[in-house]
Amino acid sequence: MPERDHLAASRRGFLGLAAGGLALAAGSGAARAARVDTSARILILGAGAAGVAMASRLTARLRGATITLLDPRPEHWYQPGFTLIAAGLKPATYAVSSTAQWIPRGATLVPEAAAEIDPETNTVTTESGTKLGYDFLIVATGLVLDWAAIEGFSLDLVGPEHGIGAHYAGPSYAARTWAALDAFTSKGGQALVGRPATEMKCAGAPLKFAFLTEDTAARKGTRGSVAVTYAAQSTALFGVPIVSEKVRMLFAERGIGVVYEHVLKAIDPGARTATYATPEGDKVLDWDFINVIPPMRAPAAVRNSPLPWADKWTDQGWVEADQATLRHPRYPNVFAVGDVAGVPKGKTAASVKWQVPVIEDHLVAEIAGRGEGTERYDGYTSCPLITRVGRAMLVEFDYRNNLVPSFPGIIAPLEELWISWLMKEVALHATYNAMLRGRA
Amino acid sequence: MKQLTFGTLIAVFEEMFGRALFWALVAAAAVITLAYLYVLIRDRAVSWRKFLLAQLSMPVGAVAAVVFVMWITESRLSDIGGPIDAIVLLGIAAVGAVGLAILVYTVQSLVRRPGAG
């Protein structure tokens, strides 16, 4: 199966790893084809990891194309770093760079958000009312965190004063989350960690946070006075059954309590209680520290456009896309990449790394008049699941919930290893940056 | 380009140590290696007495390298979780041992006159 072999081989390219005198970062992929001449107008909504990586690869493959990125945020966030910031290992600045610095030569950044997307007329209207026509649209807006869905919560509450964390909200909030976690683990009490019931980016991050809360207390010697409870939104801890089981065992080993089918709907910062929707009705749990991760949805401009699925995730609005090609079935000149793509799993930077070359292949093939591209996305995603400071499990899987280890026989996917921690702590940021430049 | 490139490797190491520290370490390693070659060529022989002290310094270099990497990566020895971790750790120790041995030999050769020891 040549395609399978190629995918397995190129998967290795994702994880650079460095460990003292050893370094290895292998990979493979099709050799770069010659540049294709075109006058196509390609509009990329969003200049985050997916948008920038897409632009970098397309500028390298196409000559004469008008490539425009639309993104209002001046800061680029390295989101895989948020967990490390929230664990007190890195400063907030670790995850912050400027959006402009990543825009490749040959592409233009318009510092605005899309207000309206009309795939019938191939037009996007920006918030200031500018109309941009396109021949190809790549939706890479990312997602929005629906904080308002958690009653009683507001981002002003994040920090040690209230014992509230919200490390998904951004680098500075991740740093405030650490301040809250640090204060809590010095004092002791009940910690609540959980995740929303919607699709979410990096579904491993809430689990990591539970492990790190326990680990922080253990390192401080306050473990005896700290209780950690993980509120799972379903009857499992992770979407991939074999990983879920492993996490269940580790939670039991580490004394991390679990409540299943608990979806956070409200907090009372004064009384320090949290209300969860459960199959038996609302339940209230007490906390001294809580990390809030809200429901996630596509941005309003996407939700209100004709692009989302009509019959799937209707409350979330992810862009309808073919699972293998990421092409929109109803609007073939539209692709979705990254968090906003309506495919199962795949809301991680690792997924972006595998999705971008697929769209590149199909887009360039079409522009060059070669018809359909041949690359396929198999749902690959990767999660260095930190189980404590210094150890992680390198969990990699695909659409079918199969484990697809990059280093079979060397780095076991369900083993807590130091080398997997080194990858996350040391090598991933560099690999991510290389991806933004289209070099990885 | 998804291939392993020298540039990717450099980027990973710059990230690991910080750009300035990484290049300072590279420069230090290059200077020591050149100095080692210089004294070997100058003396036209290996001094076994210097080599003995260099060998005795090897465990120190091994431990220092491990401590340094653990410090940089916020890790502890108890984080070693499987065979690959032990192999990586031994690799780091080996590099530290050989590196310090070369350093010690070179420094002795440079500070003492050839033939003196």
Side-chain angles (χ1 to χ4, degrees), chain A residues 113-162:
Chain A
E116 206 187 316
I117 304 164
D118 185 355
E120 301 288 347
T121 61
N122 293 339
T123 316
V124 168
T125 310
T126 70
E127 280 181 325
S128 70
T130 310
K131 280 190 191 301
L132 299 168
Y134 62 81
D135 299 310
F136 295 97
L137 179 70
I138 296 169
V139 188
T141 55
L143 51 71
V144 291
L145 300 163
D146 187 0
W147 299 107
I150 308 295
E151 202 183 308
F153 174 84
S154 123
L155 283 171
D156 311 336
L157 298 169
V158 176
E161 300 81 7
H162 297 281

Side-chain angles (χ1 to χ4, degrees), chain A residues 55-143:
Chain A
S56 292
R57 296 187 73 101
L58 290 177
T59 49
R61 291 293 303 277
L62 302 172
R63 189 168 26 221
T66 306
I67 298 174
T68 309
L69 293 110
L70 220 56
D71 199 314
R73 195 171 63 203
E75 284 185 352
H76 181 98
W77 290 349
Y78 171 62
Q79 297 186 58
F82 289 5
T83 305
L84 299 176
I85 298 169
L89 299 173
K90 302 278 183 192
T93 51
Y94 173 68
V96 181
S97 56
S98 86
T99 300
Q101 83 182 70
W102 298 109
I103 306 299
R105 197 170 299 169
T108 313
L109 174 68
V110 176
E112 278 193 76
E116 206 187 316
I117 304 164
D118 185 355
E120 301 288 347
T121 61
N122 293 339
T123 316
V124 168
T125 310
T126 70
E127 280 181 325
S128 70
T130 310
K131 280 190 191 301
L132 299 168
Y134 62 81
D135 299 310
F136 295 97
L137 179 70
I138 296 169
V139 188
T141 55
L143 51 71

Side-chain angles (χ1 to χ4, degrees), chain B residues 4 74 111:
Chain B
L4 165 67
E74 317 260 0
V111 296

